[in-house]
Amino acid sequence: MSLPEPEVVSLGCRLNIAESETIRTLVAHRDTVVVNSCAVTNEAVKQTRAAIRRAHRDRPGAQIVVTGCAATIDPAGFAAMPEVTRVVANDIKLRPESWGGTVAAPTVFAGHARAFVEVQNGCDHSCTFCIIPQGRGASRSIPAGAVVDRIAMLVDAGHREVVLTGVDLTSYGPDLPGSPSLGMLVDRILRHVPALQRLRLSSLDSVEIGDRLFEIVTGEPRVMPHLHLSLQAGNDLILKRMKRRHSRAQSVALVERLKTRRPDIAIGADLIAGFPTEDEAMFADTLALIADCDIVYGHIFPYSPRIGTPAARMPQVAPEVRRERASKLRAAAAARKAAWLATAIGTVQDVLIERPGDRGHTAHFAEVRLPAPSGPGSIRPVAITAATDTHLIGTTE
């Protein structure tokens, strides 16, 4: 009887998804479950522990190996879990020898319509709420030639869309010869991989979007009209206490510039509710930012104090107030998204069809549901016939 295939459970960011696919090719012991953990909030750590216990229940004889940010920040805590066989730190998790192998196989994202490509890792900033630099280390970039080769291989393997990922994507390049920028990298990808149909960018720090990247994002049709911005708050004093490097006015001005040049661009944003010292007036500024920046994809967290961060030592907002404010932010973002989705009714959208074939995403990353399967992995024109509060409904032409 053959052993089951290795399983990789990925929690958290798109960078983890990209790394998980590489890990999947490296695991030599077949009866293994790898949990690639997240530490961005206390809830993410709880979800990691729950995933470990669930994996042990589902496959009681398997090795359970934990890696990722949560495991790197608290290796002893995870190693002490009775379900865990061993812990692998972030800095060695992509080495073949960490998984019992000697050679890395090409990663082709067989289970995904879109492929995720890591171009940057780590972070040199010190946001007062964030513990991720402790799990990821200093910022470091992947040389452009290696990125281009990787994307060319994925396109040759049939992927129509590639997503560039990183912990702090817009800090790409200063550690490389010549200090290339993210805009220069994107330009090189588009020039050297002409067969790539769609290029998407993961979360961007708005203050680091340089002129070259701005021109490409607003003028290049192969770069998707969807940006996710790391805004975090809409009040200047809270932004200062977070140790962010932008102001509220800069966020609003950037979105106005983007929409002036590319009116259909869809804006997503990370927002934190109930950051320490936030009062009702400060929260109102963040709530208003959803309308002022036309945020249709709100990635909203109630503030979660992390031991070892400066914000955890600041005067805290009561947990029930944090939750209430997060709920209000989510409701405002959901209402804006619903109204935006309704404007697509009657249009034809190019949709990347995802498994099992009855759904996909537009260039603007709106989810589309289809009545019948239609060629997973392909990009198809879809007539949008209806919209719900969360997704579009359409038929292939």
Side-chain angles (χ1 to χ4, degrees), residues 19 70 112 132 237 240 253 306:
E19 291 171 337
H112 300 269
I132 296 305
L237 185 54
K240 184 176 181 179
R306 300 306 313 273

Side-chain angles (χ1 to χ4, degrees), residues 5-346:
E5 289 292 323
E7 179 184 357
V8 182
V9 179
S10 189
L11 296 102
C13 64
R14 289 170 174 170
L15 180 57
N16 255 13
I17 295 173
E19 291 171 337
S20 290
E21 291 304 311
T22 300
I23 291 169
R24 197 185 308 277
T25 70
L26 299 176
V27 179
H29 191 285
R30 295 174 66 84
D31 197 11
T32 299
V33 179
V34 179
V35 178
N36 196 4
S37 65
C38 177
V40 70
T41 63
N42 290 332
E43 182 60 30
V45 177
K46 290 178 183 177
Q47 290 173 0
T48 294
R49 293 185 179 276
I52 292 166
R53 296 186 183 105
R54 186 166 53 250
H56 180 68
R57 287 196 303 270
D58 293 345
R59 294 175 64 170
Q63 293 185 5
I64 308 293
V65 184
V66 189
T67 189
C69 289
T72 301
I73 292 167
D74 183 20
F78 282 95
M81 292 182 69
E83 300 88 352
V84 173
T85 306
R86 61 191 177 97
V87 172
V88 175
N90 262 337
D91 61 350
I92 61 170
K93 73 179 180 182
L94 300 185
R95 297 180 186 174
E97 59 268 25
S98 296
W99 307 100
T102 56
V103 179
T107 309
V108 294
F109 291 83
H112 300 269
R114 63 181 55 79
F116 299 87
V117 174
E118 175 185 337
V119 304
Q120 183 275 339
N121 207 327
C123 184
D124 291 338
H125 306 307
S126 303
C127 295
T128 59
F129 56 84
C130 187
I131 201 166
I132 296 305
Q134 295 183 35
R136 290 284 182 176
S139 180
R140 53 213 184 269
S141 309
I142 308 296
V147 173
V148 169
D149 289 347
R150 176 98 174 92
I151 292 174
M153 183 273 289
L154 290 165
V155 170
D156 287 344
H159 289 285
R160 306 291 194 272
E161 180 175 308
V162 166
V163 184
L164 301 187
T165 69
V167 173
D168 183 23
L169 189 60
T170 33
S171 71
Y172 177 88
D175 56 317
L176 295 175
S179 298
S181 65
L182 180 62
M184 293 170 68
L185 173 66
V186 172
D187 183 49
R188 185 166 174 176
I189 291 166
L190 295 170
R191 284 188 290 109
H192 290 281
V193 194
L196 174 64
Q197 292 178 256
R198 289 185 170 191
L199 183 64
R200 199 178 293 278
L201 306 176
S202 62
S203 183
L204 304 177
D205 192 338
S206 58
V207 78
E208 291 186 321
I209 297 176
D211 290 344
R212 191 165 192 170
L213 182 60
F214 181 89
E215 292 298 321
I216 293 171
V217 164
T218 57
E220 170 54 64
R222 292 161 63 201
V223 175
M224 296 297 91
H226 162 232
L227 288 187
H228 191 89
L229 304 176
S230 179
L231 300 183
Q232 308 304 347
N235 174 269
D236 283 343
L237 185 54
I238 291 297
L239 288 167
K240 184 176 181 179
R241 289 171 177 167
M242 288 178 166
K243 209 174 177 182
R244 300 294 294 169
R245 293 168 300 140
H246 66 272
S247 67
R248 185 187 207 282
Q250 287 174 317
S251 298
V252 174
L254 172 64
V255 173
E256 288 178 349
R257 286 178 62 218
L258 288 166
K259 285 188 165 288
T260 297
R261 289 287 300 273
R262 197 171 185 178
D264 67 329
I265 200 164
I267 302 297
D270 297 321
L271 295 171
I272 295 174
F275 185 81
T277 76
E278 181 186 77
D279 61 22
E280 286 295 337
M282 294 169 177
F283 169 68
D285 285 342
T286 296
L287 185 62
L289 194 69
I290 291 173
D292 293 344
C293 286
D294 195 17
I295 295 167
V296 296
Y297 297 110
H299 195 204
I300 293 157
F301 301 96
Y303 169 74
S304 177
R306 300 306 313 273
I307 294 172
T309 61
R313 301 189 295 272
M314 297 178 185
Q316 301 292 302
V317 174
E320 62 273 16
V321 175
R322 292 180 228 153
R323 291 191 293 268
E324 179 187 4
R325 290 177 183 173
S327 179
K328 289 179 180 179
L329 289 176
R330 289 185 184 117
R336 198 158 196 88
K337 181 178 182 178
W340 172 69
L341 289 172
T343 65
I345 298 172

